[in-house]
Amino acid sequence: MDVSPQDRPLFEAALQMFGLARPEGTGFLNVVRYIASNDAGIKLLEKGGTYSLGGGGTTALARSKFADFTGDVHFRSPVAGISQDGADGLVRVTTRDGRTVSARYVVNTMPLNVLSTITFSPPLSGFGREVVDRGHVGRGEKVILALEDGSVSRPFFASAASSATSSSSGCDFLASFPKAISLTDGSISHAVGFLALSTENPDLTTAASSEKILRSYETLVPGAKVEKYSIHDWRSDTFARGTWACLPAGVEDGKYWDELRRGHGNVVMASGD
C-alpha cells in the first residue's frame, strides 16, 4: 500500500487498535469488518472517549444484572474439562478445584483464547480444534492512570503519532480516553489507556518498563502529568488470555466464525468473541 512516511506511523497505529496486535499479524477481513460496522473505527473510538456508564460503570451494570439471577454461582472457578460421553446424556463441567456440575445442556461463553485450556470429551472436530488451538492475536494491556487535576483539558482523544511496531520500548500507548470528570472545573482526574506490545511477553513490572510506559503516555498526551497507574494484564488473566478477539492473518474469517458458532453435542457455543 502506498502510504507516505509521514502517514505510515498513524496508519499502523490505527490498524493496531483492532486488537492491539501487530499489523502484519492482523487478518485483513477482521479489519474490514470493523471498518464496515463503524466508519473506519472513528465513531467507535470517539464514542469510547465520550460516553461512559455513570453510577459505578460496567461493574455496577454487571452487579445489577446479577442481582436478578436466582441460580447457583461459582466464582473464581476456572473450567478444566467438559465431557458428554456418559450413558445418561448429561454434560459434565469439571473445574480446576475438582468440582463437577451436570446439566442437560451447557451454554459456553468462554473467550476463544480460553478454549484451548479446556479438555473436551469427546474432542472437538479437526477444524474446530485447529481454530481453538490457533486462537486470536489480540494482545495488549489496559492501563488506568491517575492524573494530576487540570493537567489535561477535556475533551480529548489521542492517537499515537508513532507506531509501536517501529518502537523498541516493547510497550507503547495507542489511545487514551478521559474518565472521571470532576464536577467543579471539568478537569480530568483519571484516564484509561491501551498499550500495544511490540514483543510477545514483555515484563511490565520493572522500573525500566515503568519509565517507558510513562514516557510513551506523555508522548501520546502532551502535558499530562501521571501521578500513578495500574495495569490489568489481559494476557495472564485466566478468564481472558488476551484482549478482544482479533483474528490472525492467513485465516478465512467466515469459516473461522462459523466454526466457533458450531454446537458441540449439547454444548452451545456462544462466545462473546
Side-chain angles (χ1 to χ4, degrees):
M1 182 177 291
D2 186 16
V3 181
S4 70
Q6 294 79 16
D7 292 337
R8 179 171 291 277
L10 287 172
F11 176 68
E12 291 181 347
L15 287 180
Q16 285 188 282
M17 278 304 298
F18 292 110
L20 303 183
R22 297 174 66 87
E24 64 270 24
T26 301
F28 174 73
L29 290 179
N30 194 72
V31 175
V32 171
R33 181 165 56 90
Y34 275 99
I35 291 175
S37 63
N38 55 73
D39 290 350
I42 294 175
K43 287 184 178 180
L44 174 66
L45 299 178
E46 286 182 347
K47 289 179 179 179
T50 303
Y51 300 102
S52 60
L53 294 173
T58 52
T59 299
L61 176 63
R63 286 176 174 168
S64 175
K65 290 182 175 295
F66 177 67
D68 295 331
F69 183 67
T70 58
D72 296 325
V73 178
H74 295 295
F75 285 115
R76 297 181 177 87
S77 302
V79 172
I82 299 176
S83 64
Q84 47 184 328
D85 44 15
D88 55 9
L90 295 178
V91 182
R92 290 177 173 79
V93 179
T94 304
T95 62
R96 293 183 189 175
D97 58 8
R99 286 181 290 187
T100 299
V101 178
S102 301
R104 291 182 61 189
Y105 293 92
V106 167
V107 178
N108 182 357
T109 63
M110 287 180 278
L112 172 57
N113 281 1
V114 175
L115 292 178
S116 62
T117 68
I118 310 302
T119 300
F120 288 88
S121 180
L124 298 174
S125 66
F127 183 58
R129 186 72 254 175
E130 178 185 337
V131 169
V132 167
D133 287 342
R134 187 165 188 178
H136 68 77
V137 295
R139 299 288 190 274
E141 306 292 0
K142 180 179 181 180
V143 187
I144 309 298
L145 305 107
L147 307 177
E148 182 179 308
D149 284 347
S151 68
V152 180
S153 59
R154 85 173 179 99
F156 78 86
F157 169 76
S159 295
S162 61
S163 171
T165 58
S166 60
S167 169
S168 60
S169 71
C171 46
D172 295 82
F173 278 95
L174 285 181
S176 176
F177 304 101
K179 297 293 180 183
I181 309 301
S182 73
L183 299 178
T184 53
D185 59 0
S187 60
I188 298 168
S189 58
H190 288 79
V192 177
F194 296 98
L195 281 175
L197 306 176
S198 55
T199 57
E200 185 65 25
N201 291 299
D203 184 355
L204 301 182
T205 64
T206 66
S209 290
S210 179
E211 180 63 28
K212 292 173 182 176
I213 289 171
L214 293 174
R215 191 183 313 123
S216 173
Y217 191 77
E218 290 167 358
T219 300
L220 178 69
V221 188
K225 298 178 181 178
V226 180
E227 295 182 343
K228 56 184 177 180
Y229 70 87
S230 62
I231 294 178
H232 181 78
D233 188 355
W234 277 321
R235 296 167 300 148
S236 61
D237 186 327
T238 303
F239 301 102
R241 293 173 58 85
T243 63
W244 50 89
C246 180
L247 297 189
V251 304
E252 295 185 58
D253 188 270
K255 289 185 177 180
Y256 219 80
W257 292 123
D258 286 345
E259 189 62 33
L260 288 175
R261 287 191 290 262
R262 195 185 310 281
H264 182 60
N266 287 350
V267 178
V268 179
M269 295 298 198
S271 171
D273 287 337

